[in-house]
Every structure is written in structure tokens, then in C-alpha cells.
């Protein structure tokens, strides 16, 4: 209860950065006791806090999480937030964001691509993973890592072979 009270206080005092940092630190914990305050942050928090909250909720296996994520996804206007929410929904088996996530590769924003790649990996869609193979040769190493992680989660033998070839090309020896 103490952690939830602290988050509530940060939200009510509009301490945007501290709230986002606190929620970010809680992402790995997966504590269902925080769902009520996380739902409130999704509804009333600033963008940075909502994104961290979506990531935290994706780690919690509880029936209250999915409706909160669906509502947040439906109301999201920021592309990065919607991308992260799409991945959170995908971890729960909800594929509603698939088309939206694939459309993000039409943008010229590699940072957004990283989010989309992570989210596609969470969705685990075999067809979508085919489109990630081309990113293995991208110059941005963070994007290559995100694509590799996503392919490990959702790739077929063909994509995993491409991942092995890429790893062999970049081996330090």
C-alpha cells in the first residue's frame, strides 16, 4: 500500500518526472496490488507516466489489466504511447494493434521503429516478424537489438536463420 500511496501522491502533486521514474522502476515487479493506481495514472497521468505504466501493466497477469489497456489504447493520441500500449495488449494476446504497429515503419523515426519492433515481438505474429528481418542490417544498433529480440520471440525458422547469419557477420572474431 505504501508504494501505491506514494504514486498517488506524485500524481496528485503533478510531479511528472518523479512519477514516471517511480513507475519505470516498478516495471519488473508485476505487482497486482498496484493495478488501481496504474489505472488512475493511465487515465490522469502525463504522457511519460502513461507510457511507463503501460509497460508495467504488461507484466501483470490479472483480468483487470486488459480492459484498462484497451481503454487507454482507444483514447491514446500520441503515436509512441499507442505503440507501447499495442505491445502491452499483444502480450495479453490482443492483436488489435497489429496494423497500426506495421504502419509505424512508414514513418522516418527509428526510435518509433524500436517501440514498434518491441511491440510486434510482444504480439508474436509470425507474419509481422517477416518484416523485421530487413531491420537486422540497420545502422542503428538499438533497432537491430530490438529486431533480434522480437525475432527470437516470434520468428519462424526462416527468420531465425536470417538472425543467425546476421550474428555471424557481426561476430567479434
Amino acid at each position: 500500500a505504501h508504494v501505491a500511496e506514494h504514486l498517488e501522491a506524485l500524481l496528485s502533486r503533478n510531479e511528472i518526472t518523479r512519477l514516471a521514474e517511480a513507475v519505470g522502476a516498478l516495471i519488473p515487479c508485476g505487482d497486482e496490488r498496484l493495478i488501481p493506481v496504474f489505472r488512475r495514472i493511465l487515465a490522469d497521468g502525463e504522457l511519460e507516466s502513461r507510457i511507463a505504466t503501460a509497460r508495467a501493466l504488461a507484466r501483470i497477469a490479472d483480468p483487470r489489466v486488459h480492459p484498462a489497456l484497451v481503454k487507454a489504447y482507444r483514447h491514446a493520441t500520441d503515436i509512441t504511447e499507442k505503440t507501447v500500449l499495442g505491445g502491452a495488449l499483444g502480450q495479453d494476446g490482443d492483436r488489435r494493434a497489429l496494423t497500426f504497429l506495421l504502419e509505424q515503419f512508414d514513418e522516418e523515426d527509428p526510435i518509433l521503429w524500436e517501440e514498434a519492433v518491441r511491440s510486434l515481438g510482444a504480439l508474436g505474429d509470425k507474419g509481422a516478424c517477416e518484416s523485421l528481418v530487413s531491420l537486422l542490417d540497420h545502422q542503428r544498433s538499438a533497432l537491430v537489438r530490438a529486431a533480434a529480440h522480437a525475432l527470437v520471440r516470434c520468428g519462424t525458422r526462416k527468420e531465425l536463420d536470417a538472425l543467425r547469419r546476421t550474428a555471424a557477420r557481426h561476430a567479434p572474431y
Side-chain angles (χ1 to χ4, degrees):
H2 176 67
V3 172
E5 290 170 2
H6 180 66
L7 294 175
E8 286 280 355
L10 292 173
L11 181 62
S12 67
R13 290 193 308 260
N14 203 28
E15 294 187 36
I16 299 165
T17 303
R18 289 187 61 207
L19 179 61
E21 289 170 352
V23 172
L26 294 169
I27 290 172
C29 81
D31 189 343
E32 66 274 354
R33 295 173 295 179
L34 298 173
I35 293 172
V37 71
F38 283 164
R39 289 175 65 173
R40 181 150 179 253
I41 294 168
L42 279 180
D44 300 330
E46 295 295 325
L47 178 63
E48 188 178 352
S49 300
R50 292 192 316 264
I51 290 172
T53 299
R55 288 188 173 115
L57 283 170
R59 300 258 186 154
I60 302 174
D62 185 283
R64 297 171 291 173
V65 170
H66 189 259
L69 292 172
V70 169
K71 183 177 180 181
Y73 180 80
R74 229 182 9 244
H75 291 98
T77 56
D78 180 83
I79 294 173
T80 302
E81 178 184 17
K82 195 165 187 166
T83 301
V84 172
L85 285 162
L89 287 167
Q91 286 184 352
D92 198 32
D94 187 325
R95 302 168 51 84
R96 78 182 65 221
L98 179 60
T99 302
F100 172 78
L101 293 172
L102 290 171
E103 289 170 353
Q104 299 321 300
F105 296 107
D106 294 339
E107 302 296 322
E108 293 296 323
D109 184 353
I111 294 172
L112 180 60
W113 291 358
E114 287 175 43
E115 291 295 345
V117 167
R118 284 188 204 100
S119 293
L120 285 168
L123 276 167
D125 184 87
K126 303 286 185 214
C129 274
E130 291 177 20
S131 64
L132 301 181
V133 172
S134 64
L135 298 175
L136 293 174
D137 292 322
H138 199 276
Q139 63 195 28
R140 187 175 169 83
S141 61
L143 183 56
V144 173
R145 280 192 304 277
H149 286 288
L151 287 170
V152 167
R153 290 189 70 174
C154 68
T156 64
R157 181 188 248 4
K158 183 174 111 180
E159 288 86 32
L160 293 176
D161 285 345
L163 182 57
R164 280 187 207 91
R165 287 191 300 275
T166 299
R169 278 196 314 271
H170 297 287
Y173 45 88

